[in-house]
Amino acid sequence: MDFNRKVLVTGGSGFIGSHLVCSLVDRHPDWRIINLDNLDYCCSPRSLQRVEGRANYTFIRGDVCDSQLVNRIFSTENIDVIFHLAAKTHVETSFETPSAFQRVNVDGTRVLLRAARRARHRPQRFIHVSTDEVYGASLDQAFDESSPVRPSNPYSATKAAAEYLVRSYWDTYKFPVIITRSNNIYGPRQFPEKVIPRFLTLLQRNKKCTIQGTLPKSRHFLFVDDAIDAFLLVLEKGIVGEIYNVGTSCEIPIAHLARELVKMVKKVPDCEVNDWLEFVPDRPRVDLRYPIKCEKLQQLGWRAQVSWAEGIRQTGEEEQNKSLTNKRCTNLRIPCGGFFFSNLLVKWYQDNPDFWLDAGGGREPIRSRLEDANDWVGGGDDLTSFP
């Protein structure tokens, strides 16, 4: 079968990557979608079950740092578009093993860029998915794409370094790159190291929600469908060499997030909610918030369409194997201070405790990692969702 476009997605078995792959496969049957992923601990094969066997989908298990493999892909396939999502993203772990983050996030990007530029068939776009954390923190001023980059932890430092590599290929070779920097993305099939599924998993194990420090940290949450729409819009209308923020106005204090989940899962009165919260020591540096401006992306026609309540509802519905439609609840706009969680999301984590048992090719990390709630804390920068 002849395809009009060939699209390579790195990290396509991760949380965001699997949503992007499924969307591309469904929307573009005339495109061939190639997923390169090494199936790390946070990837479950179940996330892509519904596209397995589709004529326009191909999975390659491999490491983005493997130059021989990556070169072979570009020499045997006429890749037109690259979505580079493969990355290590857990902030807490980045303090413990920064070299692993350097290898995947920086060296992996270098290997991919080099192979793509040297390919006989020149790609049309190289879209590098980055994070709002490269800006560092701000209490009041929102960052736009021209704001200085000031990463404050090993994870965000490696993402910033990868961005510099990507930019250098535009400056030096005019290689057609685009960078996106997104807020915290949430939705179905998110590994429980991220704050929403983590809090739910802890509570269902009768453990407390652990929050780093006592300072008022908050994060902006963007539903995964809106993020995917942004990536696809940037592909079609984005200007090469540019950076686009992908964000939302829905900002939620983490302590408030935890309290709402406690009430949903444990069904306790307000006077007992704090009994299920545990404030543990901060890291040496924790950013309180990452406000960003998205006017550049909005000028291309993008707006976040899914409200917080609708996003949580859709999260629960998809995870019960119902079809997730493209319908947007544009009239359901509630202020974040009055958000609620759907019982569907809570029920899914109760009904699917073994979803991640086959993650990472058979390893079972989440059960052991959650044995000691103080090892992984569900606050601070670990709210950021990448593949």
Side-chain angles (χ1 to χ4, degrees):
M1 178 177 178
D2 293 330
F3 295 100
N4 294 331
R5 258 184 178 174
K6 290 188 179 181
V7 180
L8 174 65
V9 180
T10 70
S13 295
F15 163 53
I16 303 173
S18 65
H19 282 272
L20 176 61
V21 166
C22 288
S23 181
L24 288 167
V25 170
D26 288 340
R27 297 187 194 189
H28 300 286
D30 57 334
W31 294 7
R32 185 181 178 198
I33 312 305
I34 302 172
N35 171 19
L36 172 63
D37 199 298
N38 69 348
L39 296 183
D40 203 352
Y41 71 88
C42 56
C43 300
S44 172
R46 304 183 193 187
S47 296
L48 289 165
Q49 275 184 335
R50 71 181 186 83
V51 298
E52 290 178 358
R54 298 279 285 273
N56 64 330
Y57 173 66
T58 300
F59 172 68
I60 300 174
R61 182 168 184 173
D63 190 341
V64 73
C65 299
D66 184 344
S67 59
Q68 288 187 333
L69 172 62
V70 173
N71 288 335
R72 185 161 64 250
I73 292 172
F74 279 95
S75 65
T76 57
E77 304 286 349
N78 293 330
I79 302 296
D80 299 299
V81 174
I82 302 101
F83 283 98
H84 181 34
L85 290 86
K88 284 187 172 293
T89 66
H90 193 259
V91 177
E92 192 73 14
T93 306
S94 76
F95 282 94
E96 301 168 2
T97 58
S99 60
F101 283 69
Q102 167 75 24
R103 176 183 177 275
V104 176
N105 298 357
V106 182
D107 293 346
T109 301
R110 174 185 55 79
V111 168
L112 192 65
L113 282 167
R114 186 172 186 269
R117 190 188 75 83
R118 294 172 59 132
R120 286 174 295 179
H121 180 82
R122 180 179 172 87
Q124 302 163 0
R125 292 291 185 274
F126 184 107
I127 298 174
H128 178 74
V129 177
S130 191
T131 170
D132 58 2
E133 290 195 37
V134 299
Y135 292 118
S138 174
L139 294 180
D140 46 18
Q141 182 180 3
F143 300 113
D144 63 24
E145 292 83 353
S146 64
S147 298
V149 171
R150 295 170 178 166
S152 61
N153 58 66
Y155 159 63
S156 58
T158 59
K159 293 298 289 185
E163 285 193 17
Y164 281 120
L165 273 175
V166 173
R167 290 282 301 178
S168 74
Y169 269 66
W170 166 249
D171 294 336
T172 304
Y173 307 112
K174 296 304 176 186
F175 190 66
V177 304
I178 297 175
I179 295 171
T180 66
R181 295 171 177 163
S182 58
N183 278 151
N184 298 35
I185 300 172
Y186 75 98
R189 309 192 299 270
Q190 190 170 32
F191 186 70
E193 70 184 2
K194 303 303 180 182
V195 67
I196 295 173
R198 175 178 163 71
F199 280 168
L200 287 173
T201 304
L202 286 171
L203 290 169
Q204 288 159 9
R205 292 180 179 275
N206 288 319
K207 295 181 180 291
K208 297 180 179 182
C209 295
T210 54
I211 303 171
Q212 287 183 327
T214 57
L215 294 176
K217 293 178 286 292
S218 63
R219 291 294 181 267
H220 294 76
F221 287 90
L222 178 69
F223 188 60
V224 65
D225 273 12
D226 283 329
I228 300 307
D229 287 346
F231 299 153
L232 297 181
L233 180 64
V234 164
L235 169 63
E236 300 303 336
K237 295 186 177 181
I239 300 173
V240 294
E242 291 294 321
I243 300 170
Y244 292 91
N245 286 342
V246 185
T248 170
S249 61
C250 186
E251 184 174 8
I252 302 170
I254 300 309
H256 184 50
L257 171 68
R259 290 187 176 94
E260 291 294 322
L261 287 175
V262 168
K263 287 188 282 188
M264 289 290 297
V265 177
K266 308 312 292 186
K267 302 186 185 304
V268 297
D270 289 348
C271 62
E272 297 180 17
V273 168
N274 286 343
D275 295 340
W276 290 94
L277 305 184
E278 181 178 359
F279 291 87
V280 299
D282 261 337
R283 296 192 298 265
R285 170 74 181 267
V286 178
D287 297 333
L288 298 184
R289 58 193 299 265
Y290 302 106
I292 60 176
K293 298 178 181 179
C294 304
E295 281 83 357
K296 281 179 64 175
L297 185 61
Q298 291 169 356
Q299 288 172 5
L300 299 182
W302 180 86
R303 296 289 189 282
Q305 297 294 316
V306 181
S307 72
W308 176 255
E310 176 70 3
I312 291 296
R313 184 189 68 78
Q314 291 190 20
T315 297
E317 285 187 355
E318 177 164 313
E319 295 301 357
Q320 294 187 72
N321 296 319
K322 296 179 180 179
S323 59
L324 180 62
T325 68
N326 289 326
K327 182 180 179 181
R328 295 291 189 248
C329 190
T330 54
N331 293 324
L332 180 56
R333 297 288 180 181
I334 59 175
C336 292
F339 74 91
F340 64 92
F341 282 91
S342 167
N343 281 307
L344 292 170
L345 178 61
V346 176
K347 187 175 185 300
W348 183 83
Y349 278 93
Q350 292 172 334
D351 293 345
N352 295 272
D354 297 329
F355 185 83
W356 295 103
L357 293 186
D358 55 359
R363 295 188 292 277
E364 186 179 345
I366 188 60
R367 191 178 302 278
S368 61
R369 290 190 178 187
L370 286 173
E371 285 300 317
D372 182 358
N374 289 334
D375 285 346
W376 280 12
V377 287
D381 307 321
D382 294 333
L383 313 179
T384 306
S385 303
F386 278 91

